[in-house]
Amino acid sequence: MKVLTIVGARPQFIKAAVVSKALRGTPGAREVLVHTGQHYDDNMSAIFFAELEIPEPDYHLGIGSGSHGAQTGRMLEAIEQVLLQEKPDWVLVYGDTNSTLAGALAAVKLHIPVAHVEAGLRAFNRQMPEEINRVLADHASDLLFAPTELAAENLRREGIPEVRIHQVGDVMCDAALFYAAKAEAESRILEKLGLKSKKYILATVHRAENTDDPSRLRAIFGGLMQTAADWPVVLPLHPRTRNALTREGLLSDVERALCVIPPVGYLDMVLLEKRARLVATDSGGVPKESYFYGVSSVILRKETEWVELVEMGWTVVVEPLSAADIAGALRKHLGAKGSNQCRPYGNGQAAEKIVTKMLSVRGGSDLGV
């Protein structure tokens, strides 16, 4: 079985690392790794491959940034050429990026079966590019690997046949369990920054809906700066966010008030999450990673795909409309703990389940397609 894996952004590198490890340990399975280049600088890409021990990509497409249409179109064209050359048995895509959509579309048009990891997530906001990507990828896929029962139910409600839906747990749980000890042993980020465990707030901001909207950007960073008067706030600064802060004339104020650092590698990020008192983020994946490490979060968005975290009390969603709202939410939830009565994301065996299912299915013929 030849599996062609398509990745392009940091969250996908993490998810692919544990599945690739399972593939490499499976007799009869061979992986061809394609990196679209969606995240293309060393801090956003190469260091992740090294730390996660992912093999060098067989193909690096070097697509880089651009508008959604231009970037997706260039990826679609380049991935199609790779598929024609490699003729894989499966194309494996992750999450909800433009790389995900381009990979799924290129494969399905060539009648190559598609497997989608992290299927069924819904924010029910069609204004989000990620929501469109994940919905289209799901409906183009032959195997849909849902991380939770709610994600699987979303797929059923959309009319996807039961034979294609497999609730396997969350590969991010696999990664959290596997890499946490490595981060503790190897990362020196806390010493480097002079931080004490559980004595700081970690913040990440990168989502276009926040960086491209001046009022939301000001609300978020106004709230973070207010909070920083009492608690150190560590901010690994995404390039898009740096540009937005510069555009609005906020960068110097933010750099004075917060502990602003460049984007960090995966192991440093794991340790920053694990040792934080609280996490404030607009990321899709960071609230879930924080939960795996027993750290609560405040989500700086209107909605979240991780309804289970809200229901268990591990996160709260705060739409970034005012600095006072954000500062109040951060102060209120410092040190808060949710329930551990259920484990909605599985037990760290998702990658093995994914590989086993792909091996057991002979492409679309076993799925009624």
Side-chain angles (χ1 to χ4, degrees):
M1 177 182 72
K2 182 194 284 189
V3 177
L4 190 139
T5 296
I6 296 172
V7 295
R10 289 206 297 179
Q12 294 169 330
F13 307 156
I14 301 165
K15 297 163 193 170
V18 289
V19 179
S20 294
K21 181 173 178 287
L23 278 169
R24 294 196 302 271
T26 301
R30 178 194 164 202
E31 183 180 38
V32 176
L33 186 60
V34 177
H35 182 1
T36 66
Q38 186 169 338
H39 281 170
Y40 51 92
D41 64 60
D42 281 348
N43 278 341
M44 300 290 276
S45 179
I47 191 172
F48 267 51
F49 277 77
E51 291 185 342
L52 294 168
E53 300 175 343
I54 305 173
E56 280 295 310
D58 298 281
Y59 295 88
H60 196 307
L61 305 183
I63 303 298
S65 60
S67 68
H68 284 287
Q71 186 183 64
T72 307
R74 291 169 62 204
M75 288 177 183
L76 182 60
E77 181 179 16
I79 292 169
E80 182 180 62
Q81 294 305 309
V82 175
L83 295 180
L84 289 170
Q85 180 172 328
E86 290 289 342
K87 298 179 173 58
D89 298 296
W90 284 99
V91 167
L92 183 60
V93 296
Y94 293 84
D96 55 18
T97 68
N98 290 340
S99 300
T100 311
L101 178 59
L105 285 176
V108 76
K109 287 177 178 290
L110 292 173
H111 309 293
I112 299 171
V114 180
H116 184 199
V117 175
E118 215 173 61
L121 298 184
R122 297 292 183 269
F124 301 101
N125 177 3
R126 291 296 180 96
Q127 298 301 308
M128 292 172 54
E130 297 89 350
E131 185 85 345
I132 301 301
N133 289 344
R134 62 172 68 113
V135 170
L136 293 177
D138 280 341
H139 284 263
S141 295
D142 301 282
L143 281 179
L144 295 103
F145 294 117
T148 66
E149 176 55 35
L150 180 57
E153 185 57 33
N154 287 337
L155 296 170
R156 295 185 189 105
R157 282 198 296 264
E158 293 176 11
I160 292 177
E162 188 71 31
V163 68
R164 300 190 190 185
I165 302 169
H166 301 276
Q167 183 187 342
V168 295
D170 197 314
V171 291
M172 293 300 289
C173 181
D174 297 27
L177 296 174
F178 185 79
Y179 290 106
K182 185 176 173 69
E184 289 280 4
E186 297 185 16
S187 175
R188 297 293 177 266
I189 189 70
L190 266 64
E191 293 92 328
K192 180 180 177 181
L193 299 178
L195 298 171
K196 294 183 179 180
S197 182
K198 303 302 176 183
K199 298 295 184 182
Y200 63 91
I201 296 169
L202 175 66
T204 75
V205 182
H206 77 280
R207 201 170 280 270
E209 67 196 59
N210 289 330
T211 60
D212 295 352
D213 184 323
S215 65
R216 295 170 79 94
L217 187 75
R218 288 179 177 277
I220 289 171
F221 283 95
L224 292 175
M225 287 189 287
Q226 287 181 31
T227 306
D230 303 308
W231 278 83
V233 177
V234 180
L235 175 73
L237 189 56
H238 192 285
R240 176 193 293 150
T241 313
R242 176 177 288 277
N243 291 339
L245 291 171
T246 301
R247 181 194 70 221
E248 298 301 317
L250 295 173
L251 182 60
S252 58
D253 290 342
V254 169
E255 288 180 329
R256 281 194 295 268
L258 310 185
C259 177
V260 177
I261 61 175
V264 296
Y266 180 59
L267 297 181
D268 284 346
M269 190 63 180
V270 165
L271 200 65
L272 285 171
E273 291 171 348
K274 189 176 181 183
R275 298 290 192 87
R277 181 67 171 252
L278 180 71
V279 172
T281 183
D282 63 3
S283 165
V286 169
K288 186 154 50 76
E289 292 176 344
S290 302
Y291 157 71
F292 294 142
Y293 302 127
V295 177
S296 295
S297 61
V298 173
I299 296 177
L300 306 172
R301 292 168 56 192
K302 184 178 180 180
E303 68 281 298
T304 180
E305 300 83 356
W306 307 112
V307 178
E308 300 88 355
L309 294 182
V310 177
E311 293 175 344
M312 293 190 298
W314 282 100
T315 195
V316 61
V317 179
V318 180
E319 187 173 5
L321 300 179
S322 80
D325 287 349
I326 291 170
L330 294 176
R331 293 188 182 108
K332 181 178 178 180
H333 291 279
L334 273 170
K337 295 291 182 181
S339 169
N340 283 313
Q341 290 184 338
C342 64
R343 295 175 63 90
Y345 304 111
N347 59 4
Q349 302 297 315
E352 286 78 7
K353 293 177 182 178
I354 287 167
V355 173
T356 298
K357 176 53 64 176
M358 293 174 70
L359 274 169
S360 71
V361 175
R362 297 188 303 276
S365 61
D366 282 356
L367 298 166
V369 295

